[in-house]
Amino acid sequence: MYGASIAFHLASDPDFDGRVTVIERDPTYAFAATSHTNSCIRQQFSDPLNVQISQYGAEYILNFRARSGLADAPDLRLHSFGYLYLADTPDFAAALRDSQQVQAGLGAATRHMTRDQIAEAYPFYALDDIVAGNHNTVNEGYFDGGTLFDWWKRGAKRLGVTFVHDEVVDVIQEADRVTGVRLASGEIIACCWLVNAAGTRAAQVAGMAGIALPVEARKRYTYVFQAETPLDRDLPLTIDPSGVHVRSDGRYYMAGSPPGDDPAVDPADFAFDHALWQDKVWPAIATRIPAFERVRVINEWVGHYDYNTLDQNAVVGPNPDIANFIHVNGFSGHGLQQSPAIGRGMAEWIVHGAYRTLDLTPLGYARIAAGRPIVEKAII
């Protein structure tokens, strides 16, 4: 997603006079995080910059043809069933209230709801243990991330971007700059800028340049299921206190969860834990929504987060010690929804030497080097 987004935004900038090459180790994308995403977007963050990044993403999705300049591109729809965070303790409810105030101050339509208000809007929930919740049904929900990715890639190719099937095995440096990369094929490609968009392999690529990056692959499981008794209205993307989330998916439903034990895994490890549904996911959703006591799983898969172990927030922008090494790493599950704003921001930095719209500096590598985490309370 990020290789395509940044390539397209760069090539679309009228002030850009360079050439862009995207090196892709797996052009089938069979095991890319982009291919295993749930394609959702939300404004419900506690950090103002994360809210603004997703607000731009929603606006970009809703106005994709005009924003991209791709006259033959399809319209993208944003299915705004919203996210519903459920709090089961007073402290959690207070944190949701604080986040709602941040979001509302930036123009988001998030509502802080009492248990009774949630029950009135969605009577199918069992809420005996719930204190409060936050919900937003404006520009928050599901979008077709696969189509967005495909058209960025198509648009980039039309604008002269080259996509190469190979793999970077070494980063070539002179003093404090990257001058090129060596590929597995033996070819050396010179560069003025190197963008690390390697997803779960980002730490490996950064390490080739002597950069320590706290990003690792973590498994995340998705299940699509059919309910014997469907709900009578759209199901918001419900974040249960158990850590399981579930939402409408057309005439079906989609649930997701981290594993019970959440270690780092090899980026090539997509082995499936078939016990997780029975042991954790189904009990949680059936307890929260009794109508889901009788369901049938019709599809399931495991994907990866490129998990930032410091603070589960993106690391973006130039490296302080190697100024032409650009990070777009560690999105920890926020990657697709943040890709329009981050693609635009990286293109601004490379072409103009500064962020011209959103200031993405707080997400820079400097906080990683200092061990200074961003406090983001709304992590899924």
Side-chain angles (χ1 to χ4, degrees), residues 238-317:
T238 306
I239 300 95
D240 191 75
S242 65
V244 174
H245 56 86
V246 61
R247 66 168 172 87
S248 287
D249 189 45
R251 61 192 181 98
Y252 301 116
Y253 301 93
M254 178 181 286
S257 176
D261 183 26
D262 191 20
V265 299
D266 188 279
D269 177 7
F270 287 85
F272 202 89
D273 178 2
H274 292 283
L276 186 66
W277 168 261
Q278 194 71 28
D279 293 346
K280 179 181 180 181
V281 180
W282 178 63
I285 63 175
T287 298
R288 184 62 58 207
I289 305 172
F292 288 167
E293 289 180 356
R294 294 181 299 277
V295 300
R296 179 170 62 90
V297 175
I298 60 174
N299 195 12
E300 59 187 12
W301 64 87
V302 61
H304 287 166
Y305 276 8
D306 54 331
Y307 190 91
N308 175 359
T309 61
L310 177 67
D311 59 17
Q312 294 85 67
N313 280 275
V315 183
V316 303

Side-chain angles (χ1 to χ4, degrees), residues 46-337:
S46 65
D47 180 80
L49 180 55
N50 279 332
V51 177
Q52 292 173 300
I53 287 170
S54 283
Q55 286 178 319
Y56 175 74
E59 193 274 335
Y60 187 94
I61 290 162
L62 291 168
N63 298 281
F64 176 55
R65 188 183 298 126
R67 279 285 185 180
S68 67
L70 297 168
D72 56 341
D75 289 325
L76 294 179
R77 183 180 172 191
L78 206 168
H79 303 261
S80 293
F81 44 67
Y83 282 59
L84 175 60
Y85 282 82
L86 297 176
D88 59 348
T89 67
D91 286 348
F92 191 4
L96 288 182
R97 188 181 298 108
D98 291 345
S99 295
Q100 185 272 338
Q101 291 173 358
V102 170
Q103 295 152 23
L106 293 167
T110 311
R111 295 175 59 206
H112 185 70
M113 304 173 71
T114 66
R115 176 172 57 194
D116 289 345
Q117 288 173 323
I118 298 168
E120 182 179 1
Y122 300 102
F124 46 72
Y125 289 122
L127 297 171
D128 288 349
D129 61 328
I130 296 302
V131 178
N134 278 3
H135 191 210
N136 176 14
T137 57
V138 179
N139 295 344
E140 185 166 289
Y142 166 80
F143 70 101
D144 189 348
T147 296
L148 177 62
F149 166 65
D150 180 60
W151 278 88
W152 272 341
K153 188 178 175 185
R154 290 192 201 191
K157 287 182 175 179
R158 290 178 186 178
L159 294 167
V161 173
T162 301
F163 285 75
V164 174
H165 178 196
D166 214 319
E167 183 176 2
V168 173
V169 295
D170 193 21
V171 173
I172 302 168
Q173 296 171 254
E174 290 183 8
D176 59 351
R177 295 189 64 80
V178 173
T179 60
V181 293
R182 180 175 289 104
L183 306 183
S185 62
E187 181 182 1
I188 293 177
I189 298 180
C191 63
C192 296
W193 296 88
L194 177 65
V195 178
N196 181 2
T200 55
R201 292 176 170 81
Q204 177 183 335
V205 174
M208 296 175 193
I211 299 167
L213 186 66
V215 174
E216 59 192 33
R218 297 278 187 97
K219 288 184 179 180
R220 293 295 180 268
Y221 291 81
T222 298
Y223 305 85
V224 177
F225 63 91
Q226 185 175 27
E228 182 176 312
T229 306
L231 305 177
D232 64 354
R233 64 201 75 186
D234 284 342
L235 174 64
L237 197 156
T238 306
I239 300 95
D240 191 75
S242 65
V244 174
H245 56 86
V246 61
R247 66 168 172 87
S248 287
D249 189 45
R251 61 192 181 98
Y252 301 116
Y253 301 93
M254 178 181 286
S257 176
D261 183 26
D262 191 20
V265 299
D266 188 279
D269 177 7
F270 287 85
F272 202 89
D273 178 2
H274 292 283
L276 186 66
W277 168 261
Q278 194 71 28
D279 293 346
K280 179 181 180 181
V281 180
W282 178 63
I285 63 175
T287 298
R288 184 62 58 207
I289 305 172
F292 288 167
E293 289 180 356
R294 294 181 299 277
V295 300
R296 179 170 62 90
V297 175
I298 60 174
N299 195 12
E300 59 187 12
W301 64 87
V302 61
H304 287 166
Y305 276 8
D306 54 331
Y307 190 91
N308 175 359
T309 61
L310 177 67
D311 59 17
Q312 294 85 67
N313 280 275
V315 183
V316 303
N319 187 276
D321 298 319
I322 309 173
N324 67 335
F325 187 106
I326 300 291
H327 294 278
V328 283
N329 309 128
F331 290 90
S332 306
H334 310 146
L336 254 71
Q337 65 184 294

